[in-house]
């Protein structure tokens, strides 16, 4: 009975150790081709496997990863990705092949082919973070729409206020009719 309790305690400790800070996971989400993606080496690190092994598992199950789930990054994209990562290396950082980028659906599909406890726990956390980011984006979108409506209303008011000031200036300084000149005039005037 005591050994079973210890096993449960050990399992609880293991699960808490598997939990990563959300900030760590969020820092590994990048924008490539206008999509939020995670790179193979970051996922391999989170899952506790070698990048080579992760790529092998994906290639063995390539039919599970259509283009909208996973794609290989091009050289230009890798250059712009390096600026998101804030890497100062001029080369590819020691990698032989261009990294694979996994969308949210691709990360979910990885949980089907990587069946370790750590992979499952990390996948659940990553999916929750993607969901939270999507919810935040929708919330911000609503706020931006409201701000745009307010801005449009104020823009109309600005024009109306300008007209009011223009009319006030005209009332305070009415235009003077042209005065006739007095005195000697030349023949060409």
């Amino acid at each position: 009975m005591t050994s079973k309790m210890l096993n449960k305690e050990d399992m609880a400790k293991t699960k808490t150790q598997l939990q990563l800070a959300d900030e760590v996971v969020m820092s590994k989400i990048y924008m490539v081709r206008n999509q939020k993606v995670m790179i193979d080496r970051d996922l391999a690190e989170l899952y506790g496997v070698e990048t080579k092994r992760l790529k092998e598992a994906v290639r063995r199950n390539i039919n599970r990863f259509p283009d909208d789930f996973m794609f290989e990054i091009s050289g230009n994209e890798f250059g712009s990705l390096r600026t998101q990562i804030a890497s100062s290396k001029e080369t590819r950082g020691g990698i032989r092949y261009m990294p694979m980028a996994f969308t949210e659906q691709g990360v979910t599909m990885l949980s089907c082919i990587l069946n370790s406890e750590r992979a499952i726990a990390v996948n659940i956390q990553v999916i929750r973070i993607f969901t939270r980011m999507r919810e935040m984006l929708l919330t911000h979108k609503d706020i931006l729409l409201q701000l745009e409506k307010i801005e449009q209303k104020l823009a109309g008011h600005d024009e109306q206020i300008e007209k009011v000031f223009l009319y006030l200036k005209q009332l305070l300084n009415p235009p003077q009719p042209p005065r006739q000149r007095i005195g000697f005039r030349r023949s060409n005037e």
Side-chain angles (χ1 to χ4, degrees):
M1 186 97 172
T2 310
S3 64
K4 286 184 180 179
M5 289 175 64
L6 289 175
N7 287 338
K8 287 182 181 180
E9 288 176 15
D10 289 340
M11 289 174 65
K13 286 181 185 176
T14 305
K15 284 187 179 182
T16 56
Q17 289 172 348
L18 289 178
Q19 287 293 325
L20 300 167
D22 288 350
E23 293 80 21
V24 171
V25 177
M26 288 177 82
S27 70
K28 297 183 184 298
I29 297 174
Y30 307 106
M31 286 297 290
V32 177
R33 298 183 191 174
N34 293 323
Q35 297 181 57
K36 291 183 189 79
V37 297
M38 294 187 77
I39 306 303
D40 55 7
R41 68 177 180 206
D42 292 337
L43 286 166
E45 179 185 328
L46 291 173
Y47 295 145
V49 298
E50 293 179 15
T51 306
K52 178 180 178 179
R53 300 298 169 223
L54 183 130
K55 285 185 170 191
E56 284 174 356
V58 169
R59 287 194 182 102
R60 278 194 306 265
N61 298 282
I62 197 67
N63 57 339
R64 292 179 182 249
F65 296 94
D67 290 341
D68 58 331
F69 282 30
M70 184 268 309
F71 54 89
E72 192 169 295
I73 294 178
S74 70
N76 290 340
E77 290 168 336
F78 187 74
S80 68
L81 181 64
R82 231 183 28 234
T83 61
Q84 289 183 47
I85 299 172
S87 171
S88 62
K89 294 184 179 179
E90 289 297 319
T91 63
R92 290 188 255 177
I95 61 171
R96 293 182 187 164
Y97 306 102
M98 286 294 152
M100 294 176 172
F102 295 86
T103 63
E104 180 179 353
Q105 294 82 10
V107 173
T108 304
M109 191 57 71
L110 276 174
S111 67
C112 297
I113 63 172
L114 299 174
N115 203 9
S116 70
E117 284 210 23
R118 181 178 177 135
I120 292 168
V122 168
N123 255 331
I124 290 169
Q125 186 176 8
V126 168
I127 297 306
R128 285 182 177 152
I129 288 172
F130 268 112
T131 304
R132 213 173 314 130
M133 288 175 71
R134 191 171 36 258
E135 289 170 354
M136 286 176 17
L137 181 67
L138 290 174
T139 302
H140 291 310
K141 185 177 180 181
D142 292 342
I143 292 171
L144 288 174
L145 287 173
Q146 291 296 327
L147 284 174
E148 192 173 310
K149 286 179 183 177
I150 291 170
E151 185 179 350
Q152 287 174 353
K153 284 182 182 178
L154 290 178
H157 291 302
D158 286 346
E159 291 172 7
Q160 292 171 352
I161 291 171
E162 283 181 31
K163 284 183 182 178
V164 168
F165 279 116
L166 180 67
Y167 292 140
L168 284 173
K169 285 180 184 177
Q170 287 177 354
L171 285 174
L172 293 173
N173 298 325
Q176 299 290 330
R179 294 178 18 190
Q180 281 202 351
R181 292 183 62 173
I182 306 172
F184 178 76
R185 293 186 195 180
R186 295 185 198 154
S187 61
N188 59 357
E189 287 185 56

